[in-house]
Amino acid sequence: MTAQAAGPGKPFLYVVVCAAGVASGVTELIAAAQERDWEVGVLATPLALGFFDTAAVEARTGRVIRSAWRLPGEPRPFPPPDAVAVAPATFNTLNKWAAGISDTLALGTLNEAYGLGVPIGVLPCVGETLAAHPAYAASLRRLRGMGVRFADPYGATGGTDRPVFGWEGVLDLLPQPPGRGSTGRSG
């Protein structure tokens, strides 16, 4: 698969996927982003590649999934991002990101996006026992202080008693593509 240029005037959204069981539903996020007129490229942590259907994601986006650094001289497979959605975001990724660690392409991209002033929205996927760790609260404070926005990933139940991962919530945190009505939260 070769890299494509974003359509004329279409903003480009990077979707960063981490290794969590709910990652199997990431095509829901991609479809919702495309319905909102985003062009989408997916970056995955190396472990996340085993958590979702990579062929389905590549077919849906028309682009390769990025997980490893490109070699010097290789073309950039994605245009620069207009926004970044991190979903699901794990304890490991959030803590490393807050500390400025760039040991994967996904983390390096998140650190660079902050430096470029690119809007970033996050849907955490962190269990209660890990969320109780003091490093996690400190990481969330730091990331929020950097302007990163967070949504409650389990705000809806989908008509069942079981919580449903609310993929579209991360899109509501980001500026809407031009010509679209804003459904995002202010502030």
Side-chain angles (χ1 to χ4, degrees), residues 55-122:
V57 166
E58 289 181 348
R60 180 83 202 191
T61 64
R63 299 177 179 280
V64 298
I65 296 166
R66 300 217 39 223
S67 184
W69 303 99
R70 63 186 174 85
L71 296 174
E74 286 183 341
R76 293 183 181 274
F78 297 166
D82 294 292
V84 178
V86 188
T90 60
F91 176 84
N92 189 50
T93 294
L94 291 168
N95 286 322
K96 283 184 171 186
W97 179 19
I101 296 170
S102 292
D103 63 352
T104 65
L105 175 64
L107 284 164
T109 299
L110 291 171
N111 285 316
E112 287 181 357
Y114 166 74
L116 293 168
V118 174
I120 304 170
V122 177

Side-chain angles (χ1 to χ4, degrees), residues 24-172:
S24 63
V26 74
T27 53
E28 293 177 44
L29 172 57
I30 296 164
Q34 291 170 330
E35 287 172 13
R36 294 185 188 199
D37 293 329
W38 288 103
E39 187 78 25
V40 179
V42 174
L43 294 98
T45 62
L47 288 175
L49 291 172
F51 283 75
F52 63 94
D53 184 341
T54 57
V57 166
E58 289 181 348
R60 180 83 202 191
T61 64
R63 299 177 179 280
V64 298
I65 296 166
R66 300 217 39 223
S67 184
W69 303 99
R70 63 186 174 85
L71 296 174
E74 286 183 341
R76 293 183 181 274
F78 297 166
D82 294 292
V84 178
V86 188
T90 60
F91 176 84
N92 189 50
T93 294
L94 291 168
N95 286 322
K96 283 184 171 186
W97 179 19
I101 296 170
S102 292
D103 63 352
T104 65
L105 175 64
L107 284 164
T109 299
L110 291 171
N111 285 316
E112 287 181 357
Y114 166 74
L116 293 168
V118 174
I120 304 170
V122 177
L123 280 179
C125 186
V126 177
E128 290 179 23
T129 53
L130 288 175
H133 194 287
Y136 183 67
S139 293
L140 293 182
R141 277 192 303 278
R142 175 172 272 181
L143 292 169
R144 285 186 175 113
M146 294 166 47
V148 175
R149 299 170 129 201
F150 290 82
D152 177 1
Y154 295 105
T157 60
T160 68
D161 291 335
R162 186 174 176 193
V164 173
F165 197 73
W167 291 102
E168 286 194 51
V170 73
L171 297 175
D172 293 339

